[in-house]
Coordinates of all heavy atoms in Angstrom, one line a residue:
Chain S
Q84 N 3.1 96.5 -151.4 CA 1.9 97.1 -151.0 C 0.7 96.2 -151.3 O -0.4 96.3 -150.7 CB 1.7 98.5 -151.6 CG 2.5 99.6 -151.0 CD 2.5 100.8 -151.9 OE1 1.7 100.9 -152.8 NE2 3.3 101.8 -151.5
Q85 N 0.8 95.4 -152.3 CA -0.3 94.5 -152.7 C -0.2 93.2 -152.0 O -1.0 92.3 -152.3 CB -0.2 94.3 -154.2 CG -0.1 95.6 -155.0 CD -1.3 96.5 -154.7 OE1 -2.4 96.0 -154.7 NE2 -1.0 97.7 -154.5
S86 N 0.7 93.0 -151.1 CA 1.0 91.6 -150.6 C -0.1 91.1 -149.7 O -0.1 89.9 -149.4 CB 2.3 91.5 -149.9 OG 2.4 92.4 -148.8
L87 N -1.0 92.0 -149.3 CA -2.1 91.4 -148.4 C -3.3 91.0 -149.2 O -4.2 90.4 -148.7 CB -2.5 92.5 -147.4 CG -1.4 92.9 -146.4 CD1 -1.9 94.0 -145.5 CD2 -1.0 91.7 -145.6
K88 N -3.3 91.2 -150.5 CA -4.4 90.8 -151.3 C -4.4 89.3 -151.4 O -3.4 88.6 -151.2 CB -4.3 91.4 -152.7 CG -4.6 92.9 -152.7 CD -5.1 93.3 -154.1 CE -5.7 94.7 -154.0 NZ -6.2 95.2 -155.3
E89 N -5.6 88.8 -151.8 CA -5.7 87.3 -151.9 C -5.2 86.8 -153.2 O -6.0 86.4 -154.1 CB -7.1 86.9 -151.7 CG -7.5 87.0 -150.2 CD -8.9 86.6 -150.0 OE1 -9.5 85.8 -150.7 OE2 -9.5 87.1 -149.0
I90 N -3.9 86.8 -153.3 CA -3.3 86.4 -154.6 C -3.0 84.9 -154.5 O -2.6 84.4 -153.5 CB -1.9 87.2 -154.7 CG1 -2.2 88.7 -154.8 CG2 -1.2 86.7 -156.0 CD1 -2.9 89.2 -156.0
D91 N -3.3 84.2 -155.6 CA -2.9 82.8 -155.6 C -1.8 82.5 -156.6 O -1.4 81.3 -156.7 CB -4.1 81.9 -155.8 CG -4.9 82.2 -157.1 OD1 -4.2 82.6 -158.1 OD2 -6.1 82.0 -157.2
H92 N -1.3 83.5 -157.3 CA -0.2 83.3 -158.3 C 0.6 84.5 -158.4 O 0.1 85.6 -158.6 CB -0.9 82.9 -159.6 CG 0.1 82.5 -160.7 ND1 -0.3 82.3 -162.0 CD2 1.4 82.2 -160.7 CE1 0.8 82.0 -162.7 NE2 1.8 81.9 -162.0
V93 N 1.9 84.4 -158.3 CA 2.8 85.5 -158.6 C 3.5 85.2 -159.9 O 4.1 84.1 -160.1 CB 3.8 85.7 -157.5 CG1 4.8 86.9 -157.9 CG2 3.2 86.0 -156.2
L94 N 3.4 86.1 -160.9 CA 4.1 85.9 -162.2 C 5.0 87.1 -162.4 O 4.5 88.2 -162.5 CB 3.0 85.8 -163.3 CG 3.5 85.9 -164.7 CD1 4.5 84.7 -165.0 CD2 2.4 85.8 -165.7
L95 N 6.3 86.8 -162.4 CA 7.3 87.9 -162.6 C 7.9 87.7 -164.0 O 8.5 86.6 -164.2 CB 8.3 87.8 -161.5 CG 9.6 88.7 -161.7 CD1 9.2 90.2 -161.8 CD2 10.6 88.5 -160.5
I96 N 7.8 88.7 -164.8 CA 8.4 88.6 -166.1 C 9.5 89.6 -166.3 O 9.3 90.8 -166.3 CB 7.3 88.9 -167.2 CG1 6.2 87.8 -167.1 CG2 8.0 88.7 -168.6 CD1 5.1 88.0 -168.2
N97 N 10.7 89.1 -166.2 CA 11.9 89.9 -166.3 C 12.2 90.1 -167.8 O 12.9 89.3 -168.4 CB 13.1 89.2 -165.7 CG 13.0 89.2 -164.1 OD1 13.0 90.2 -163.5 ND2 12.8 88.0 -163.6
N98 N 11.7 91.2 -168.3 CA 11.8 91.5 -169.8 C 12.8 92.6 -170.1 O 13.4 92.6 -171.1 CB 10.4 91.8 -170.3 CG 10.5 92.4 -171.7 OD1 10.8 91.8 -172.7 ND2 10.2 93.7 -171.7
A99 N 12.8 93.6 -169.2 CA 13.6 94.8 -169.5 C 15.1 94.4 -169.7 O 15.6 93.6 -169.0 CB 13.6 95.8 -168.3
A100 N 15.6 94.9 -170.8 CA 17.0 94.6 -171.2 C 17.5 95.7 -172.2 O 16.7 96.5 -172.7 CB 17.0 93.2 -171.8
S101 N 18.8 95.7 -172.4 CA 19.3 96.6 -173.4 C 20.3 95.8 -174.3 O 20.8 94.8 -173.9 CB 20.0 97.8 -172.7 OG 21.1 97.3 -171.9
L102 N 20.5 96.3 -175.4 CA 21.4 95.7 -176.4 C 22.9 95.9 -176.0 O 23.7 95.0 -176.2 CB 21.1 96.3 -177.8 CG 21.6 95.7 -179.0 CD1 21.2 94.2 -179.1 CD2 21.2 96.5 -180.2
G103 N 23.2 97.0 -175.5 CA 24.6 97.3 -175.3 C 25.3 97.7 -176.6 O 24.7 97.6 -177.7
D104 N 26.5 98.1 -176.5 CA 27.3 98.3 -177.7 C 27.5 97.1 -178.5 O 27.9 96.1 -177.9 CB 28.7 98.9 -177.4 CG 28.5 100.4 -176.9 OD1 27.5 101.0 -177.2 OD2 29.4 100.8 -176.2
I105 N 27.3 97.1 -179.8 CA 27.7 96.0 -180.6 C 29.0 96.4 -181.2 O 29.1 97.3 -182.1 CB 26.6 95.7 -181.7 CG1 25.3 95.3 -180.9 CG2 27.1 94.5 -182.6 CD1 24.3 94.7 -181.8
S106 N 30.0 95.7 -180.8 CA 31.4 96.2 -181.1 C 32.4 95.1 -180.9 O 32.2 94.3 -180.1 CB 31.6 97.4 -180.1 OG 32.8 98.1 -180.4
P107 N 33.5 95.1 -181.6 CA 34.5 94.1 -181.3 C 35.0 94.0 -179.9 O 35.0 95.1 -179.2 CB 35.7 94.5 -182.3 CG 35.0 95.3 -183.3 CD 33.9 96.0 -182.7
F108 N 35.2 92.8 -179.4 CA 35.6 92.5 -178.1 C 36.7 93.5 -177.5 O 36.6 94.0 -176.4 CB 36.1 91.1 -178.1 CG 36.4 90.5 -176.7 CD1 35.5 89.5 -176.2 CD2 37.5 90.8 -176.0 CE1 35.8 89.0 -174.9 CE2 37.8 90.3 -174.7 CZ 36.9 89.3 -174.2
E109 N 37.7 93.7 -178.4 CA 38.8 94.5 -177.8 C 38.5 95.9 -177.6 O 39.3 96.6 -177.0 CB 40.0 94.3 -178.7 CG 39.9 94.8 -180.1 CD 41.3 94.7 -180.8 OE1 41.8 93.5 -180.9 OE2 41.8 95.7 -181.2
N110 N 37.3 96.4 -178.0 CA 37.0 97.8 -177.6 C 36.5 97.9 -176.2 O 36.4 99.0 -175.7 CB 35.8 98.3 -178.6 CG 36.4 98.5 -180.0 OD1 37.6 98.5 -180.2 ND2 35.5 98.6 -180.9
F111 N 36.2 96.8 -175.5 CA 35.6 96.9 -174.2 C 36.7 97.0 -173.1 O 36.8 96.2 -172.2 CB 34.6 95.8 -174.0 CG 33.4 95.9 -174.8 CD1 33.4 95.1 -176.0 CD2 32.4 96.7 -174.5 CE1 32.2 95.3 -176.9 CE2 31.3 96.8 -175.4 CZ 31.2 96.1 -176.5
T112 N 37.4 98.1 -173.1 CA 38.5 98.3 -172.1 C 38.0 99.1 -170.9 O 38.8 99.2 -169.9 CB 39.7 99.0 -172.8 OG1 39.2 100.2 -173.4 CG2 40.3 98.2 -173.8
E113 N 36.8 99.6 -170.9 CA 36.4 100.5 -169.8 C 35.5 99.8 -168.8 O 34.3 99.5 -169.2 CB 35.7 101.7 -170.3 CG 36.7 102.8 -170.8 CD 35.9 103.8 -171.6 OE1 35.1 104.6 -171.0 OE2 36.1 103.8 -172.8
L114 N 36.0 99.5 -167.6 CA 35.2 98.8 -166.6 C 33.8 99.5 -166.3 O 32.8 98.7 -166.2 CB 36.0 98.8 -165.3 CG 36.8 97.5 -165.1 CD1 37.6 97.6 -163.8 CD2 35.9 96.3 -165.0
E115 N 33.8 100.8 -166.3 CA 32.6 101.4 -165.9 C 31.4 101.1 -166.9 O 30.3 100.9 -166.5 CB 32.7 103.0 -165.9 CG 33.1 103.5 -164.5 CD 33.2 105.0 -164.4 OE1 32.2 105.6 -164.7 OE2 34.3 105.5 -164.1
R116 N 31.8 101.1 -168.1 CA 30.8 100.9 -169.2 C 30.3 99.4 -169.1 O 29.1 99.2 -169.2 CB 31.5 101.0 -170.6 CG 30.8 101.9 -171.5 CD 31.7 102.2 -172.7 NE 31.3 101.4 -173.9 CZ 32.2 101.1 -174.8 NH1 33.5 101.4 -174.7 NH2 31.8 100.4 -175.9
V117 N 31.2 98.5 -168.9 CA 30.8 97.1 -168.8 C 30.0 96.9 -167.5 O 28.9 96.2 -167.6 CB 32.0 96.1 -168.8 CG1 31.6 94.7 -168.7 CG2 32.8 96.4 -170.1
N118 N 30.4 97.5 -166.4 CA 29.7 97.3 -165.2 C 28.3 97.9 -165.3 O 27.3 97.3 -164.7 CB 30.4 98.1 -164.0 CG 31.6 97.3 -163.6 OD1 31.7 96.1 -163.8 ND2 32.5 97.9 -162.9
S119 N 28.2 99.0 -165.9 CA 26.9 99.7 -166.1 C 25.9 98.8 -166.9 O 24.7 98.6 -166.5 CB 27.1 101.0 -166.8 OG 25.9 101.5 -167.2
Y120 N 26.4 98.1 -167.9 CA 25.6 97.2 -168.7 C 25.2 96.0 -167.9 O 24.0 95.6 -167.9 CB 26.4 96.7 -170.0 CG 25.5 95.8 -170.8 CD1 24.6 96.4 -171.7 CD2 25.6 94.5 -170.7 CE1 23.8 95.6 -172.5 CE2 24.8 93.7 -171.5 CZ 23.9 94.2 -172.4 OH 23.1 93.4 -173.1
L121 N 26.1 95.4 -167.1 CA 25.8 94.2 -166.3 C 24.8 94.6 -165.2 O 24.0 93.8 -164.8 CB 27.0 93.6 -165.8 CG 28.0 93.0 -166.9 CD1 29.2 92.4 -166.2 CD2 27.3 91.9 -167.7

Side-chain angles (χ1 to χ4, degrees):
Chain S
Q84 284 169 9
Q85 307 304 315
S86 60
L87 295 177
K88 289 207 167 180
E89 284 178 30
I90 300 293
D91 58 32
H92 186 189
V93 180
L94 169 58
L95 170 60
I96 302 181
N97 289 295
N98 165 72
S101 62
L102 194 56
D104 288 337
I105 299 193
S106 189
F108 189 105
E109 65 175 56
N110 290 345
F111 293 98
T112 52
E113 280 165 70
L114 264 177
E115 269 184 59
R116 228 168 104 211
V117 179
N118 283 340
S119 167
Y120 182 81
L121 295 179

